[in-house]
Amino acid sequence: MNELSASSANVDQAAAVLRAGGLVAFPTETVYGLGADARNPAAVARIFAAKGRPADHPLIVHLAHAGQLTAWARDIPDAAWRLAEAFWPGPLTLVLPRLPDVLDAVTGGLDTVALRVPDHPVALALLAAFGDGIAAPSANRYGCVSPTSAQDVHEELGNRVDLVLDGGRCPIGIESTIVDLSSTKARILRPGNVTESAVRRVLGEPLATESNRFVRSPGNKPSHYAPRARVVLAAPEEVELRIGEWHKRGQRVGLLASHWPTTLPDNVTLLPLPESVQKQAHELYHCLRQADHLGLEVLVAVMPPDVGLGHALRDRLRRAAGLGDNGEPAQVQPQPLPGVEP
Ligand code: AMP
Ligand code: MG
């Protein structure tokens, strides 16, 4: 794998790699993307092979500006233009009815396509140099934690990617908000930095409830963004109880929290999170990776309050814990380990 700084010469080289059907990992404001020419079926197939991702999971197509929407989507509602105007470039993906020539491999065979203009100078320079849509899921192996640095991409994909543009750490640190605009009522398929209330304010009407998000977003499986360590969710008042449960079973335990008890058992590793939810999002995946680097077996993670960006953080933590949409901290009990008395 070739790892390059994000100079303009290197961006031009990356665009040439894309034109030749290669894979380029590049930074966005959310996470690093694994990019390929979205019009080239062989290149798109290489994304799925590199990630180990099932072929029916759709990819997000990245664009240089909102004007390119009409080259990918049809019947574009006014709501899409208004959201693009309000949030692009930015961490918002729009799902729209697709034009017939959009590759099935990109949409997972769906009649819709996911589109986004990212807000990162390197991503935007690459998109401008390339000149058309770049299909780019997160640059990690399927189901694993999304990369937020070039080093993370290297760890995840090694030589499976032809070139990595190193743009430093991703400023936001979790994936984009996905809004489905392909039916009458807009619906959030994945929460992110653009909050539901911000979307609602721009649209000026209520959104559909989230109940069938799995049907509409097959990539949104309950277990995702997961480190090797078992993630155990805890409400703030449950932290000592949860740590104790796993610690006394001889597990190497870590605590991921912005507040922690004054005394922790000796060999419990603290992975401190900052106070603000914005900074927590920035650190979350970095900390999940750190838990694995430290060889932790259990990571007790404190759920942030369900407000603003906290909603998206809770979503990612639930998925890291393998709980999907409906898991509540109170339901998380240690499973019996073979041969170990709880
Ligand atoms: P990633 O690019 O790794 O963040 O994953 C892409 C996400 O976008 C997955 O959750 C996909 O299921 C979702 N997605 C992409 N295209 C569509 C689509 N046409 N309809 C619904 N969800 C989509
Ligand atoms: Mg992903």
Side-chain angles (χ1 to χ4, degrees):
M1 175 180 72
N2 213 343
E3 202 167 302
L4 298 177
S5 68
S7 70
S8 59
N10 292 340
V11 165
D12 287 344
Q13 187 184 333
V17 169
L18 290 175
R19 269 181 227 112
L23 297 184
V24 173
F26 61 96
T28 78
E29 80 281 35
T30 60
V31 301
Y32 272 70
L34 177 62
D37 177 355
R39 305 278 189 196
N40 177 339
V44 171
R46 286 192 60 202
I47 291 182
F48 287 89
K51 282 184 64 94
R53 194 182 212 193
D56 62 346
H57 284 219
L59 307 174
I60 295 171
V61 177
H62 292 69
L63 306 175
H65 53 85
Q68 291 176 331
L69 267 182
T70 51
W72 297 87
R74 64 183 155 79
D75 306 330
I76 302 171
D78 186 49
W81 297 113
R82 275 189 282 139
L83 288 174
E85 171 74 23
F87 298 113
W88 282 359
L92 178 73
T93 297
L94 301 180
V95 172
L96 293 165
R98 67 184 240 193
L99 283 173
D101 62 343
V102 178
L103 294 174
D104 275 338
V106 167
T107 68
L110 296 172
D111 194 32
T112 53
V113 61
L115 298 156
R116 164 168 119 84
V117 177
D119 186 15
H120 192 289
V122 178
L124 288 171
L126 179 63
L127 284 158
F130 182 65
D132 200 359
I134 300 177
S138 51
N140 51 278
R141 297 281 294 166
Y142 179 64
C144 297
V145 178
S146 297
T148 54
S149 73
Q151 175 59 33
D152 296 348
V153 175
H154 186 70
E155 253 179 54
E156 286 286 326
L157 298 174
N159 289 328
R160 294 186 178 94
V161 46
D162 298 307
L163 193 151
V164 181
L165 286 175
D166 186 349
R169 286 276 294 277
C170 299
I172 291 180
I174 60 169
E175 303 78 358
S176 59
T177 305
I178 303 181
V179 178
D180 181 5
L181 294 174
S182 66
S183 35
T184 38
K185 247 186 179 179
R187 178 190 305 271
I188 305 257
L189 299 179
R190 177 174 71 187
N193 197 56
V194 173
T195 60
E196 184 173 339
S197 58
V199 171
R200 210 183 322 119
R201 234 175 290 131
V202 171
L203 296 184
E205 59 188 26
L207 306 183
T209 58
E210 293 181 63
S211 58
N212 68 352
R213 56 190 279 184
F214 286 110
V215 179
R216 304 306 306 276
S217 199
N220 243 337
K221 61 171 192 153
S223 172
H224 218 92
Y225 320 112
R228 282 190 300 280
R230 175 197 294 254
V231 174
V232 173
L233 306 182
E237 64 278 9
E238 296 174 321
V239 166
E240 278 162 298
L241 177 69
R242 296 287 170 246
I243 289 177
E245 278 169 353
W246 291 98
H247 186 253
K248 76 175 180 226
R249 303 159 109 221
Q251 299 276 291
R252 280 197 299 280
V253 179
L255 172 63
L256 179 66
S258 56
H259 296 97
W260 45 90
T262 40
T263 54
L264 288 173
D266 269 352
N267 42 6
V268 169
T269 306
L270 177 66
L271 297 177
L273 281 175
E275 189 80 32
S276 86
V277 276
Q278 242 72 31
K279 289 183 181 158
Q280 287 181 16
H282 182 70
E283 291 301 314
L284 177 65
Y285 290 158
H286 184 69
C287 287
L288 294 182
R289 281 177 190 280
Q290 216 182 339
D292 284 345
H293 292 157
L294 293 167
L296 300 180
E297 292 162 298
V298 173
L299 184 63
V300 175
V302 179
M303 291 291 258
D306 193 2
V307 282
L309 184 54
H311 185 62
L313 287 173
R314 292 168 68 93
D315 171 79
R316 302 308 190 274
L317 283 169
R318 275 195 300 268
R319 289 176 203 287
L323 290 175
D325 278 332
N326 302 316
E328 290 300 327
Q331 296 170 1
V332 184
Q333 296 296 334
Q335 299 300 306
L337 295 176
V340 179
E341 286 297 314

